Amino acid sequence: MAYRHSIRGVTHSFEDLRTLLAKASPARSGDELAGIAASSAAERVAAQMALADLPLAIFLNEAVIPYEDDEVTRLIIDFHNRDSHRDAFAPIASLTVGEFRDWLLQEETTGDLLAALAQAFTPEMVAAVSKLMRLQDLVLVARKIRVATRFRTTVGLPGTLCSRLQPNHPTDDPAGIAASILDGLLLGAGDAVIGINPVSDNVATVTALLRMIDHIRERYEIPVQSCVLAHVTTQLQALERGAPVDLIFQSIGGTEKTNSSFGVNLALLDEAYQAGLELKRGTIGDNVMYFETGQGSALSANAHHGVDQQTCEARAYAVARRYRPMLVNTVVGFIGPEYLYDGKQILRAGLEDHFCGKLLGLPMGCDVCYTAHAEANDDDMDSLMTMLAVAGVNYIMGVPGADDVMLNYQSTSFHDVAYLRSAFGLRPAAEFAAWLERGFRKELTMQGLLNA
């Protein structure tokens, strides 16, 4: 179905919904690289105006990737077609995308109402409305929504900001990793997860690292969950050999072909999810999955089907939503300037991803990051993490010195987490905060005894 809009006597035509969404996207280098971006500002505005007039129901009748060709499309459509989800969607089914934007921004549209509708939205709907929003709109709507998850800590409650303690090491050296873990814990990081990206994706390394973190956790009675971010099949093998697996990790994308490039499909993720649940290692909850995503992954795998990278990213959240994850984060600037060229594009993408994930009911975090060859710097990251804190992000990364010496990119530091908590009056997860305070009181007691 073709879509058209005229500006000053010039009619712009868009051959299908996929093309309309791509042309309406704010500028980013990945869509330009793919040859699907708007050719001019006028064409982009025309696409956005045509998109604003589009009824939301269109997204249920026209798939950007055919149902028969893609299991993620089938997941999205079949999920929405459940009776309860269709019934939840009915009150807003008559809205256009533009009216949907206005409705989201109304004070009467509360976080509780949006949470009740989260299962009824499709990724393409939320991607579409995000394309019509300014940055402040993305912040304001996302701020309404809180998605709390639980394993040994509770992540996502109002008034909190959590962090992933990311103690990567270029040789997987246990002593170096342990030193980084200690550094992070002393600075209040780690309440979302202590998560290591291993250099070596093998069962022995993964098992050794998991046992090391678990030893630290048990020795010091720390309420945290751990994860070693190896491929899901490696984690399952470690689990089968008795490794202390808490959260099960996998990178995911928004198309079947993208997930195939990661070596996964829905059946494998189903298996991993069930395996994690059966361990029953969580003490206060059973959210056992951890997913990472990022704009550009589908294009980099030549698996985007002509769909713009932001819509592909939103479709990845449909995959994550299936598994009630503990954590989801967009690694927003990690893939490089071929997909998000500079700080301005990274800023926009991070806020879009957080907004779309929250609307779809996900516990969104963000790896606020960039690579050395991007046109970005730490000032850009300060802007993004500050806006995300206003928007109610669940967690960010805590990397020693903000410089990941294994993955070779710039992220956020333990001190950045402390800055955001101080600036906005936020606290760590309650269980973790109580542990920190017990340790602080113990230290004061020891000092008192020494001084007596």
Side-chain angles (χ1 to χ4, degrees):
M1 178 177 176
Y3 304 92
R4 296 179 178 82
H5 192 87
S6 296
I7 298 179
R8 295 183 177 179
V10 177
T11 298
H12 297 267
S13 183
F14 311 98
E15 61 182 317
D16 52 25
L17 182 58
R18 176 180 60 190
T19 303
L20 179 64
L21 288 168
K23 300 295 186 182
S25 286
R28 63 207 60 202
S29 52
D31 292 339
E32 293 172 5
L33 178 66
I36 59 176
S39 59
S40 65
E43 186 181 31
R44 179 171 293 110
V45 169
Q48 289 172 340
M49 294 179 76
L51 185 61
D53 291 336
L54 209 64
L56 289 179
I58 289 289
F59 295 94
L60 304 176
N61 300 318
E62 183 177 350
V64 295
I65 304 173
Y67 183 94
E68 60 273 13
D69 295 344
D70 185 86
E71 71 171 356
V72 177
T73 299
R74 294 192 289 275
L75 170 65
I76 292 167
I77 299 300
D78 294 348
F79 187 83
H80 187 275
N81 281 338
R82 295 179 186 177
D83 289 343
S84 60
H85 299 165
R86 283 204 312 270
D87 292 345
F89 179 67
I92 63 168
S94 62
L95 298 180
T96 65
V97 177
E99 290 168 341
F100 183 37
R101 172 190 176 274
D102 294 342
W103 179 79
L104 288 170
L105 290 166
Q106 291 175 4
E107 288 187 17
E108 296 80 7
T109 305
T110 64
D112 288 343
L113 178 56
L114 292 174
L117 285 168
Q119 307 301 312
F121 299 140
T122 71
E124 290 85 356
M125 290 175 191
V126 301
V129 76
S130 76
K131 298 176 193 296
L132 306 183
M133 290 183 147
R134 292 176 59 181
L135 298 186
Q136 64 178 257
D137 299 336
L138 298 171
V139 169
L140 186 61
V141 176
R143 183 175 174 80
K144 298 179 183 184
I145 306 167
R146 302 304 309 198
V147 182
T149 53
R150 295 168 177 83
F151 191 82
R152 293 193 189 98
T153 62
T154 304
V155 176
L157 289 178
T160 65
L161 174 69
C162 299
S163 66
R164 169 186 161 188
L165 202 171
Q166 184 170 310
N168 297 342
H169 192 279
T171 63
D172 288 335
D173 176 55
I177 290 171
S180 292
I181 291 174
L182 175 62
D183 189 21
L185 290 171
L186 289 172
L187 287 166
D191 48 342
V193 66
I194 299 176
I196 305 169
N197 297 94
V199 177
S200 179
D201 193 325
N202 64 60
V203 178
T205 297
V206 169
T207 300
L209 293 176
L210 284 169
R211 286 179 174 159
M212 181 187 71
I213 303 174
D214 211 49
H215 172 73
I216 294 171
R217 178 185 68 81
E218 291 185 334
R219 171 68 177 81
Y220 297 101
E221 300 179 336
I222 314 171
V224 292
Q225 41 276 338
S226 64
C227 185
V228 175
L229 284 70
H231 191 269
V232 65
T233 54
T234 307
Q235 295 168 80
L236 287 174
Q237 291 177 58
L239 181 155
E240 290 167 359
R241 298 183 189 185
V245 175
D246 288 344
L247 304 186
I248 297 178
F249 166 82
Q250 183 56 46
S251 294
I252 55 173
T255 73
E256 181 178 347
K257 286 179 66 178
T258 307
N259 288 324
S260 294
S261 76
F262 290 140
V264 300
N265 53 34
L266 296 180
L268 178 57
L269 294 176
D270 288 348
E271 177 187 347
Y273 178 50
Q274 290 303 318
L277 288 176
E278 289 169 8
L279 291 176
K280 301 184 184 301
R281 288 179 56 84
T283 55
I284 62 171
D286 63 352
N287 300 114
V288 298
M289 300 298 283
Y290 174 17
F291 295 114
E292 287 189 344
T293 65
Q295 288 194 29
S297 60
L299 175 58
S300 68
N302 194 28
H304 60 105
H305 298 270
V307 179
D308 69 272
Q309 64 184 45
Q310 191 258 333
T311 301
C312 282
E313 173 73 4
R315 284 169 55 93
Y317 303 151
V319 177
R321 181 168 62 177
R322 178 179 174 89
Y323 302 102
R324 300 172 50 249
M326 177 72 183
L327 307 170
V328 179
N329 71 264
T330 167
V331 192
V332 69
F334 181 74
I335 305 181
E338 298 85 358
Y339 306 97
L340 295 169
Y341 178 72
D342 57 15
K344 184 175 182 178
Q345 292 189 9
I346 293 171
L347 174 66
R348 171 92 198 178
L351 293 174
E352 286 172 346
D353 295 350
H354 178 254
F355 164 88
C356 290
K358 282 285 184 69
L359 267 187
L360 292 168
L362 290 176
M364 288 302 294
C366 184
D367 191 342
V368 179
C369 63
Y370 66 100
T371 57
H373 60 313
E375 291 294 322
N377 59 31
D378 290 345
D379 287 340
D380 298 309
M381 301 306 106
D382 285 351
S383 297
L384 176 53
M385 68 172 146
T386 301
M387 292 189 77
L388 282 168
V390 176
V393 71
N394 279 23
Y395 70 103
I396 63 170
M397 305 301 117
V399 177
D403 183 7
D404 193 306
V405 294
M406 192 278 279
L407 292 174
N408 292 310
Y409 78 116
Q410 302 301 123
S411 185
T412 46
S413 71
F414 306 138
H415 293 87
D416 291 329
V417 179
Y419 145 67
L420 292 174
R421 287 172 176 165
S422 178
F424 295 103
L426 302 171
R427 290 176 56 79
E431 301 85 359
F432 189 76
W435 174 79
L436 289 171
E437 288 164 2
R438 285 196 302 273
F440 185 62
R441 285 196 297 271
K442 186 181 294 184
E443 181 180 337
L444 289 179
T445 302
M446 289 294 293
Q447 289 177 355
L449 289 172
L450 291 171
N451 294 331

